[in-house]
Amino acid sequence: MSRDDEGGVRRRVLLTLGGAAAARLGLAAAAALSGRPAGAPWRRTNYAGRPVTLLGGPALAAAVTLTAAAGAPPGTRAAATLVGAVSGLVGGYDDLAGARPDQARDKGLAGHLRALRAGRVSAGAVKVAGIGAAAAAAAALMRDPAAPHASLRSARDPAAGPSHPLTTLADAVLTTGLVAGTANLVNLLDLRPGRAAKAASLLAAATVGGRAGTLVAGPLGATVAVLPDDLGERVMLGDCGANAVGAVLGLRLAALPGRRARGGLLAGVVALTLASERVSFTTVIEATPGLRELDRLGRRPA
């Protein structure tokens, strides 16, 4: 292993540990706040009738955003900060405002559209618009994912020309769609303890290598660190946590080389999102050996 390779591995390990430490600090703060009056709006009853707090979401979102920015490769730091912070903020807004009785029926894409047709703007619609705008801005901020080291080449060889931002419409659409779509998809999985965190951890682990892998090293550590409290039904990720980690993972997918690969990933994200409007993910998971066991692993009996 070369010195560059050793340095890259060391940096990923440090980022992962940093993400875990940041998330545990956030969870400690959440635990201290949850029993106080300020924590009351974040309290919920989960699918099994047990009391939980949604404050695990802000703890995860903050850790994910900070460590994604710290590990972001050249050309992606501003984009990573933007999508993590905005997705967490509008997700937190939906967690709080979406709990109001008048918002109860405005769930899912169909619910948001019904609300708009009735002249109402649902909390979920605000969240979708916010994440979409952040994703589009990130697409403008990112460097060309097909040439992630362009800025380094320019520094070493001025004749190579300056690095350039992502300029093609195809790249902009792919980045916007992957960031917004993955943020939403991870949130759709947050219906059972640990499900969204497991999916996010697996995706982060699968993409932590490669040129832009340091972007998700910290978020990987943060998500794994939150998982025990999620499985133990002490916290929920909620829209705040799930959207933030999903958006950063989407940005990582958008940095993969090859438009065809990114296009295939976006098509898969869109297909799963549309399917969720008609088919219950929980029903499919429970009926699928392997997925069922993975989904239940570490979870308390209902």
Side-chain angles (χ1 to χ4, degrees), residues 131-247:
I131 294 175
L141 290 169
M142 276 187 70
R143 302 294 179 183
D144 183 352
H149 288 333
S151 59
L152 296 179
R153 287 200 304 270
S154 298
R156 293 169 182 168
D157 181 11
S163 61
H164 57 282
L166 184 152
T167 55
T168 70
L169 179 61
D171 286 330
V173 169
L174 288 171
T175 298
T176 302
L178 282 169
V179 170
T182 308
N184 182 62
L185 185 58
V186 173
N187 188 42
L188 290 174
L189 294 173
D190 192 35
L191 296 176
R192 291 293 185 272
R195 181 180 294 171
K198 287 175 184 175
S201 297
L202 289 171
L203 182 54
T207 57
V208 75
R211 292 172 174 173
T214 51
L215 177 66
V216 293
L220 171 60
T223 308
V224 171
V226 170
L227 185 56
D229 286 66
D230 191 4
L231 287 169
E233 300 182 40
R234 294 180 290 277
V235 303
M236 288 177 62
L237 304 188
D239 294 58
C240 179
N243 284 148
V245 69

Side-chain angles (χ1 to χ4, degrees), residues 51-124:
V52 296
T53 177
L54 287 171
L55 286 170
L60 178 62
V64 162
T65 303
L66 289 171
T67 56
T76 60
R77 178 165 295 171
T81 304
L82 180 67
V83 300
V86 172
S87 297
L89 285 171
V90 296
Y93 170 76
D94 193 22
D95 282 332
L96 297 175
R100 298 197 303 254
D102 60 300
Q103 299 276 338
R105 63 184 182 276
D106 300 334
K107 301 300 180 183
L109 180 60
H112 302 327
L113 292 176
R114 282 196 303 269
L116 289 173
R117 285 196 294 268
R120 295 181 291 106
V121 179
S122 67

